[in-house]
Amino acid sequence: MSSSFLTLVSPIKGIVVPLAEVPDPVFAEGALGQGIALDPLGDCLHAPLAGEVIQCARTHHAFTLRSDAGVEVLIHLGLDTVTLEGRGIEPCVSVGQRVEVGDLLCHFDVDKLACEATSLITPLIVIDAPGWRWAETGLKSGDVVQRGDSLVVLEAIASAEHQAVSAQGPKGERSVVLALETGLHARPAARLRAIAREHDVSLNLTHAEHSANVDSISGLMNLGLTSQRSRHWGLAA
């Protein structure tokens, strides 16, 4: 039987930047997941795959889509764009919306972001892909891709290769204060996930009636946590 593949297309015309060359260690070191980045040559981001919008950053700089096969992809417009608090970015989708390949995700003011953000380099990260593995695309640094060109290819793997083991052990709970000026966005979410995996624990963050396991980057960001508020989290080893 032939292998199954999932292709993610370029969300914008741009210049290919390998993830390891992105000037941000969280992306470059793969803390969020495997991916590729583009230096954009346009002012609109489009959906790289069909699926559901499961996360829209409150500051409009990041979108997460989940395919029908369960693959979650984060499109992160620029670097340090979270500090703009949404200025210069006009979102065109909302959480829960169904999108098809090529549908518009947002417009952005290129000049404003270029002047006020660290960089326009836009990573596309596969943050969760149960049952899929990365396949080489042949793209190299400096290649120019058009919107809609093949950018990332994932290959289906046998279910036995990615079976998860449920964590068992004592549980604990602690109240904490979030002291991040820009809130719980992609970078601190990736750090929380890394801590949980480093210590082999299941870590849950809860605020009011909402809760998310730190293994889900999109779930953490959807909590919409900002600074100066008390948070509760549960820890199970």
Side-chain angles (χ1 to χ4, degrees):
M1 182 180 356
S2 61
S3 299
S4 295
F5 294 90
L6 176 64
T7 299
L8 312 181
V9 304
S10 179
I12 193 170
K13 179 181 178 181
I15 302 168
V16 171
V17 179
L19 204 62
E21 297 177 13
V22 173
D24 184 307
V26 170
F27 291 108
E29 296 171 7
L32 281 164
Q34 288 183 290
I36 194 168
L38 295 172
D39 196 349
L41 300 173
D43 60 2
C44 296
L45 289 181
H46 298 257
L49 76 165
E52 180 185 357
V53 179
I54 61 170
Q55 181 268 331
C56 295
R58 63 177 181 83
T59 49
H60 312 323
H61 71 288
F63 303 87
T64 305
L65 311 181
R66 181 191 290 132
S67 77
D68 295 337
V71 175
E72 294 185 11
V73 176
L74 169 70
I75 305 97
H76 194 284
L77 175 59
L79 304 177
D80 291 324
T81 37
V82 64
T83 61
L84 273 64
E85 291 290 331
R87 297 187 302 275
I89 308 171
E90 179 187 350
C92 301
V93 293
S94 57
V95 172
Q97 183 175 334
R98 171 80 186 184
V99 294
E100 301 301 328
V101 176
D103 282 355
L104 186 61
L105 298 178
C106 73
H107 298 280
F108 58 94
D109 185 328
V110 177
D111 292 337
K112 188 173 188 63
L113 267 63
C115 291
E116 298 188 24
T118 299
S119 172
L120 279 173
I121 290 176
T122 296
L124 184 148
I125 308 293
V126 179
I127 57 174
D128 194 14
W132 299 84
R133 64 184 164 206
W134 195 266
E136 293 297 326
T137 61
L139 293 173
K140 60 184 184 300
S141 181
D143 284 349
V144 175
V145 293
Q146 301 295 322
R147 179 171 67 84
D149 284 353
S150 175
L151 192 63
V152 171
V153 178
L154 301 176
E155 181 182 9
I157 59 177
S159 58
E161 296 183 46
H162 67 276
Q163 288 179 347
V165 177
S166 299
Q168 299 293 332
K171 296 181 179 180
E173 184 174 311
R174 180 179 300 174
S175 297
V176 298
V177 175
L178 185 66
L180 299 170
E181 182 178 356
T182 51
L184 187 57
H185 57 98
R187 291 187 190 88
R191 180 57 183 150
L192 278 175
R193 184 174 69 176
I195 290 171
R197 290 180 175 180
E198 178 184 353
H199 295 282
D200 193 25
V201 298
S202 177
L203 185 63
N204 294 285
L205 200 63
T206 301
H207 170 57
E209 70 276 14
H210 303 292
S211 181
N213 187 279
V214 300
D215 205 44
S216 172
I217 298 296
S218 59
L220 287 177
M221 292 191 292
N222 269 339
L223 290 174
L225 301 184
T226 55
S227 61
Q228 305 302 319
R229 298 178 185 174
S230 296
R231 310 299 178 207
H232 300 273
W233 54 318
L235 183 65

